[in-house]
Amino acid sequence: YSLGSYFDALVTAEDSGSAEVEFYYAYAAQRIRRPPIRCIVVGESNSSVEAAHELGMKCVVVTGNQPVYDFVGADLVVRNLSQLSFMNMKRLFG
């Protein structure tokens, strides 16, 4: 079972050659041929938010059991991926 059939590109931390989160976000944008300002990062930490915003990307945080108020810098905060819809992601660019 491979995730590759569901996505245009798969990028891991090892692919960018750097330990810095910003580098693999930038590399992922390059792989899908989109400018960073047209990308959304889905993460689970404030470091995801900071790295995404540094590149001009939007950031959705999936909190799980963590308090929502811990992620005030995120563009959108959801408890789990089932709360993520096309419309609320589209609004990030509105």
Side-chain angles (χ1 to χ4, degrees), residues 21-22 24-25 41 44-53 59 71:
V21 177
E22 294 88 350
Y24 57 83
Y25 288 173
V41 169
E44 60 182 7
S45 68
N46 282 316
S47 63
S48 297
V49 175
E50 292 167 10
H53 287 172
C59 189
F71 305 100

Side-chain angles (χ1 to χ4, degrees), residues 33-89:
R33 297 184 180 104
R34 296 284 182 265
I37 62 169
R38 299 298 298 160
C39 294
I40 299 172
V41 169
V42 178
E44 60 182 7
S45 68
N46 282 316
S47 63
S48 297
V49 175
E50 292 167 10
H53 287 172
E54 188 169 314
L55 294 168
M57 297 175 167
K58 302 293 184 185
C59 189
V60 174
V61 171
V62 181
T63 64
N65 293 327
Q66 299 175 50
V68 173
Y69 58 79
D70 282 350
F71 305 100
V72 295
D75 299 292
L76 177 64
V77 178
V78 295
R79 286 253 175 238
N80 56 58
L81 289 175
S82 69
Q83 295 179 323
L84 198 54
S85 71
F86 175 76
M87 287 308 295
N88 61 16
M89 290 184 66

Side-chain angles (χ1 to χ4, degrees), residues 1-11 31:
Y1 168 27
S2 170
L3 289 176
S5 62
Y6 295 99
F7 299 98
D8 293 333
L10 293 176
V11 176
R31 288 283 315 271

